[in-house]
């Protein structure tokens, strides 16, 4: 089975940057989808960014132009570079993987639906102060 572990969260001031990492173990096929989600207390989990095995990316509106998702297939690692952070970015950030299928959904929502994923990491906390 695939297991995920996030790291790189922390506390930063508005305008700062963080780079999140998600390391996967187990078998991942030629076709996959890996995504970042975030969740605030009492709120539903929301998609941030996704990436297919072919490198195709999808971003939520809140992440567009500030965040960059990337993957290292050889290392089975997923990354999220976050720049220009604001207090609204404060949340637990989770990575998720579909190890056998590419990202699914409407063209601007591929890989951003929590219900499409069964494998999750435990999360890493991001706190942004004003």
């Amino acid at each position: 089975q695939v297991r995920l572990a996030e790291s790189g969260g922390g506390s930063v001031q508005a305008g700062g940057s963080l780079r999140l990492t998600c390391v996967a173990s187990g078998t991942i096929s030629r076709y996959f989808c890996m995504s970042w989600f975030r969740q605030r207390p009492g709120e539903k989990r929301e998609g941030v960014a996704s990436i297919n095995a072919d490198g195709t990316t999808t971003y939520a509106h809140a992440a567009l132009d500030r965040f960059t998702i990337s993957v290292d297939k050889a290392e089975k690692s997923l990354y999220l570079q976050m720049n220009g952070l604001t207090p609204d970015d404060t949340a637990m950030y989770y990575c998720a993987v579909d190890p056998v299928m590419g990202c699914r959904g409407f063209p601007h929502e591929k890989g951003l639906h929590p219900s499409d994923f069964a494998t999750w990491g435990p999360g890493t906390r991001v706190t942004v102060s004003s």
Side-chain angles (χ1 to χ4, degrees):
Q1 294 186 354
V2 178
R3 291 180 172 82
L4 305 174
E6 304 96 338
S7 63
S11 181
V12 298
Q13 292 186 331
S17 298
L18 285 172
R19 182 176 171 84
L20 307 184
T21 298
C22 173
V23 178
S25 62
T27 301
I28 298 178
S29 77
R30 173 184 177 185
Y31 306 100
F32 66 82
C33 178
M34 298 191 75
S35 301
W36 287 99
F37 294 81
R38 67 185 183 186
Q39 186 171 21
R40 303 176 180 86
E43 299 184 8
K44 66 179 183 179
R45 194 164 298 186
E46 61 182 11
V48 176
S50 71
I51 187 166
N52 266 326
D54 65 2
T56 302
T57 58
T58 303
Y59 293 93
H61 184 266
L64 195 63
D65 298 327
R66 297 189 300 124
F67 296 179
T68 302
I69 188 171
S70 61
V71 64
D72 185 326
K73 297 178 183 179
E75 297 292 334
K76 294 184 178 180
S77 296
L78 178 73
Y79 305 96
L80 185 68
Q81 178 66 47
M82 304 188 294
N83 299 324
L85 288 164
T86 73
D88 197 46
D89 295 316
T90 296
M92 284 291 293
Y93 283 73
Y94 302 89
C95 64
V97 61
D98 183 335
V100 299
M101 184 180 295
C103 299
R104 293 169 284 173
F106 296 123
H108 301 294
E109 302 175 354
K110 291 183 179 296
L112 302 183
H113 305 279
S115 61
D116 288 340
F117 297 89
T119 302
W120 297 82
T124 185
R125 187 178 301 278
V126 171
T127 302
V128 185
S129 60
S130 61

